[in-house]
Amino acid sequence: MKPGLRQQLAEKMAGEITLSDAPGKALKKWRSSFQIAPGVLADHLGISPSVISDYESGRRKSPGTGVVGKIVDTLLDIDEENGGKYIQKYGKLLFSDYDDEVIYDIHDFASSIPIRELSELIECTLLYGSEDHQIFGYTVVNSQNAILNLSPNEFNRIYGWSTERALIFTDVSTGKSPMIAIRVTPFKPPYVILQGIDVENVHPLVKLLAEKDRITVLCTSLDVQEIITRLRNTEW
């Protein structure tokens, strides 16, 4: 681990929560990203789980910078106790440049948005799953380059600052390869969008893998550049 990595990650997290228009949602995003249950966080902080719930839902006044700092430090402490997997994952992003031959576009929202908003914007058709949930970002990925050039650990970089996002794989032929690549990595996105293919042409294995990993899969025939343009021109 690079010197100061934890401190820089803590500053990134605390800054995003404090400056967000919806601090409770930003707090929930980071807690969920570290896969820490509200009760576990509350136990380590010595408070009731209902306090965490009230902060995240907005029922309680947004915590000040001191409280936010304590919550962030506690999230990092818990992760370190469990081996530091997420500190390593998100810390690497602080020191990494994205290869624009692999990642065409990546964006993290300050607070969650309904996946349906994004899927309607880029004209998606549902293949499997539900569009009733929220996401915290999206990544537009060159499917072939990601699979050929990224190791399993490097592949995790496409998740940005939160795994609760939509991965948009471009120029797919059957959809099978990106789903298999996701299958063998430790992190799973809630949504995968296959670009350049119609629902009826998707390989049958895609739906089976989506069901097994509980991933909602959508398809869009919209041009890659048009997708990126629409996403970048939207105020999320």
Side-chain angles (χ1 to χ4, degrees), residues 16-201:
E16 181 177 314
I17 295 169
T18 303
L19 298 175
S20 173
D21 291 334
K25 289 183 178 180
L27 171 59
K28 183 177 181 179
K29 181 194 86 167
W30 280 111
R31 180 185 59 72
S32 300
S33 295
F34 276 77
Q35 298 290 301
I36 295 172
V40 173
L41 176 59
D43 285 345
H44 279 71
L45 288 167
I47 60 177
S48 167
S50 64
V51 175
I52 301 297
S53 176
D54 286 347
Y55 277 141
E56 293 183 350
S57 65
R59 290 191 297 269
R60 183 182 289 258
K61 183 180 177 181
S62 299
T65 55
V67 175
V68 169
K70 187 175 181 181
I71 292 173
V72 167
D73 280 338
T74 303
L75 290 172
L76 298 177
D77 286 343
I78 295 170
D79 188 57
E80 283 188 336
E81 291 171 8
N82 295 322
K85 178 172 70 171
Y86 292 100
I87 292 176
Q88 292 283 355
K89 174 183 184 291
Y90 296 120
K92 286 178 181 177
L93 295 173
L94 291 171
F95 298 98
S96 299
D97 294 321
Y98 294 112
D99 183 348
D100 59 12
E101 293 299 317
V102 175
I103 298 178
Y104 289 153
D105 194 27
I106 185 167
H107 184 72
D108 291 272
F109 310 132
S111 58
S112 63
I113 67 153
I115 180 61
R116 195 177 300 275
E117 285 188 20
L118 187 145
S119 67
E120 290 178 354
L121 177 68
I122 59 174
E123 302 179 18
C124 292
T125 302
L126 182 66
L127 173 71
Y128 173 83
S130 169
E131 293 183 86
D132 295 333
H133 300 291
Q134 307 273 320
I135 56 172
F136 283 96
Y138 66 81
T139 309
V140 183
V141 187
N142 182 302
S143 180
Q144 182 175 340
N145 287 346
I147 292 167
L148 290 177
N149 299 325
L150 300 183
S151 68
N153 285 335
E154 291 172 331
F155 193 85
N156 292 330
R157 293 172 56 200
I158 69 178
Y159 291 107
W161 291 102
S162 174
T163 54
E164 296 297 309
R165 69 197 307 106
L167 298 186
I168 305 169
F169 289 96
T170 68
D171 301 311
V172 302
S173 54
T174 67
K176 183 172 65 172
S177 295
M179 294 300 291
I180 292 174
I182 290 170
R183 179 76 180 144
V184 299
T185 59
F187 302 105
K188 307 287 188 275
Y191 293 94
V192 166
I193 298 173
L194 304 175
Q195 183 275 334
I197 189 171
D198 296 322
V199 167
E200 56 267 23
N201 295 322

